[in-house]
Amino acid sequence: MELKDKRRPSTLFFPKPVALVTAAAGGRDNVMTAAWVNVACMDPPMLCVSVRSSRFTHGLIQQSGQFVVNMPGEELLEAVELCGNVSGRDGDKFQLAGLTRQKALKVEAPLVAECPLSIECEVRHSLELGSHTLFIGEVMVVWLDDRHTDEAGHPLVERMRPFVLNYREYWGMGERLGTFGSGAPPFRVIP
Amino acid sequence: MELKDKRRPSTLFFPKPVALVTAAAGGRDNVMTAAWVNVACMDPPMLCVSVRSSRFTHGLIQQSGQFVVNMPGEELLEAVELCGNVSGRDGDKFQLAGLTRQKALKVEAPLVAECPLSIECEVRHSLELGSHTLFIGEVMVVWLDDRHTDEAGHPLVERMRPFVLNYREYWGMGERLGTFGSGAPPFRVIP
């Protein structure tokens, strides 16, 4: 059990969710692939996304104080790859990637219509950490495509087909392994 | 393409990485399942983890200014489920979950020996957002089990078997879909 190998500090952490982050300011908008995204708070609901300061999207979020996190399914892999490797300074990535803008409710940034899940956020904090800025946004509206839910309105993961980045590889979902909180261990469960 | 359904603000975002976060202070330590973890910065390398203020681990991180993010494989599902639903205030979760402490290099918190990847962090920022505090830690040491790498030292995802939370369900990895940055689109690639 002492087999681990020490390495220099790095960002070698995974799995990371694959998301498309949209932003808009000053009459321009953009869509960027981001994997450094997650939930930051439950009450109030907040997401955080880390964006390199040289990115076109970074300026759009800073100017507008708004962003949208969109969750693509596997069928959007090519669009995701393009949106992670091309700059919005060089063209309209929605057009290049074949993505459709859909009007958001509370923010200027467009939703990505092809994504089953989109979450509108307003920036509450931003931290300049070095190469990247961590934007922490309060969730204003959640959009969930009704073709991707069951009758109770719960998301159907097998239809949404989210995917992740492991190291630098995209991986799809395999099997459902279990449900959080179903273990019923013989101890006090945290409320 | 206008089929999305508006919902009230929530933390409905996924996929989220399944991690085991360890912390230690004042002669006590703990291991907690966390899914609200990700990279926050590349240079310097930083991770962020969001922890509910009522959690035992929250106090340990606040007191010590240190934490470790450990990445479990699928075979640790039961331990993960226990460590996410039992409080360290009620007992030694390492023992309850059958996990082994391994001494870290730069922090007091133990590594989880059974996890192929462990990342030691020192807190640089903490943001009290409401129900949760977002701890942003600089990566001090990365530990990668040498049974889970190829000859070049790159991680072998199929051996590590990371898993994620989708909504409230644990999901394993399926197929490798591609490699980030391999798309070679006919546009300038962001350096």
Side-chain angles (χ1 to χ4, degrees):
Chain A
M1 276 306 183
E2 292 284 335
L3 274 168
K4 283 187 185 168
D5 174 29
K6 290 185 298 294
R7 289 162 183 243
R8 67 178 178 77
S10 78
T11 56
L12 184 65
F13 169 78
F14 52 85
K16 294 167 286 193
V18 171
L20 290 169
V21 172
T22 48
R28 276 299 312 271
D29 62 15
N30 198 26
V31 49
M32 181 192 90
T33 298
W36 296 0
V37 190
N38 211 330
V39 181
C41 189
M42 178 170 285
D43 184 19
M46 293 186 176
L47 301 187
C48 57
V49 56
S50 177
V51 182
R52 188 183 280 272
S53 56
S54 57
R55 292 280 190 268
F56 186 49
T57 296
H58 185 277
L60 298 179
I61 297 177
Q62 263 193 334
Q63 287 172 56
S64 63
Q66 300 176 336
F67 60 88
V68 178
V69 174
N70 305 272
M71 190 254 271
E74 270 185 34
E75 69 282 3
L76 294 180
L77 177 63
E78 277 186 42
V80 161
E81 173 66 3
L82 187 146
C83 291
N85 289 285
V86 174
S87 174
R89 293 190 186 94
D90 293 344
D92 178 354
K93 283 202 277 185
F94 283 92
Q95 192 175 15
L96 292 171
L99 298 174
T100 310
R101 291 172 177 87
Q102 183 173 330
K103 195 168 163 40
L105 194 70
K106 302 265 184 135
V107 304
E108 282 301 307
L111 317 178
V112 177
E114 287 81 3
C115 290
L117 176 66
S118 295
I119 304 173
E120 300 181 29
C121 297
E122 284 188 359
V123 175
R124 295 284 178 256
H125 304 271
S126 62
L127 277 176
E128 293 180 19
L129 298 172
S131 59
H132 287 64
T133 300
L134 187 66
F135 295 106
I136 296 126
E138 184 172 345
V139 175
M140 307 310 290
V141 185
V142 173
W143 296 80
L144 181 59
D145 193 312
D146 58 12
R147 291 169 299 188
H148 295 86
T149 55
D150 64 16
E151 288 176 4
H154 299 303
L156 291 169
V157 175
E158 55 273 48
R159 281 207 206 143
M160 300 173 82
R161 301 168 77 213
F163 59 113
V164 297
L165 265 174
N166 287 320
Y167 190 47
R168 291 180 65 85
E169 299 166 351
Y170 300 107
W171 284 71
M173 294 297 114
E175 281 181 63
R176 183 190 285 105
L177 304 174
T179 302
F180 179 82
S182 68
F187 312 105
R188 179 170 66 94
V189 169
I190 303 169
Chain B
M1 274 307 183
E2 292 285 335
L3 274 168
K4 282 185 184 169
D5 175 28
K6 291 186 296 296
R7 289 161 184 243
R8 66 177 178 78
S10 77
T11 56
L12 184 65
F13 169 79
F14 53 85
K16 293 167 287 192
V18 171
L20 289 169
V21 172
T22 48
R28 276 298 313 270
D29 63 14
N30 198 26
V31 49
M32 180 191 90
T33 298
W36 297 359
V37 189
N38 211 330
V39 182
C41 189
M42 178 170 286
D43 184 20
M46 293 186 176
L47 301 187
C48 57
V49 56
S50 178
V51 182
R52 188 184 280 270
S53 56
S54 58
R55 292 280 190 268
F56 185 49
T57 296
H58 186 277
L60 298 179
I61 298 178
Q62 263 192 334
Q63 286 172 58
S64 63
Q66 301 176 335
F67 60 88
V68 178
V69 175
N70 305 273
M71 190 254 271
E74 270 185 34
E75 68 282 2
L76 294 180
L77 178 63
E78 277 186 43
V80 162
E81 173 67 1
L82 187 147
C83 292
N85 290 284
V86 174
S87 174
R89 292 190 186 94
D90 293 345
D92 177 354
K93 283 202 278 184
F94 283 93
Q95 192 175 15
L96 291 172
L99 298 173
T100 310
R101 289 171 178 87
Q102 182 173 331
K103 195 169 163 39
L105 194 70
K106 301 267 184 131
V107 304
E108 282 300 307
L111 316 178
V112 177
E114 288 80 3
C115 290
L117 177 67
S118 296
I119 304 173
E120 300 181 29
C121 296
E122 285 188 359
V123 174
R124 295 286 179 255
H125 304 271
S126 62
L127 277 176
E128 292 180 19
L129 298 172
S131 58
H132 287 65
T133 300
L134 187 66
F135 294 105
I136 297 125
E138 184 171 345
V139 175
M140 306 311 290
V141 185
V142 173
W143 297 79
L144 181 60
D145 193 312
D146 59 12
R147 291 168 299 188
H148 294 87
T149 55
D150 64 16
E151 289 177 3
H154 298 302
L156 291 169
V157 176
E158 54 274 46
R159 280 207 206 145
M160 299 173 83
R161 301 168 78 213
F163 59 113
V164 296
L165 265 174
N166 286 320
Y167 190 48
R168 292 180 65 84
E169 298 167 351
Y170 300 107
W171 284 71
M173 293 297 113
E175 282 181 63
R176 183 189 286 105
L177 304 174
T179 302
F180 180 82
S182 66
F187 313 104
R188 178 170 67 93
V189 169
I190 303 169

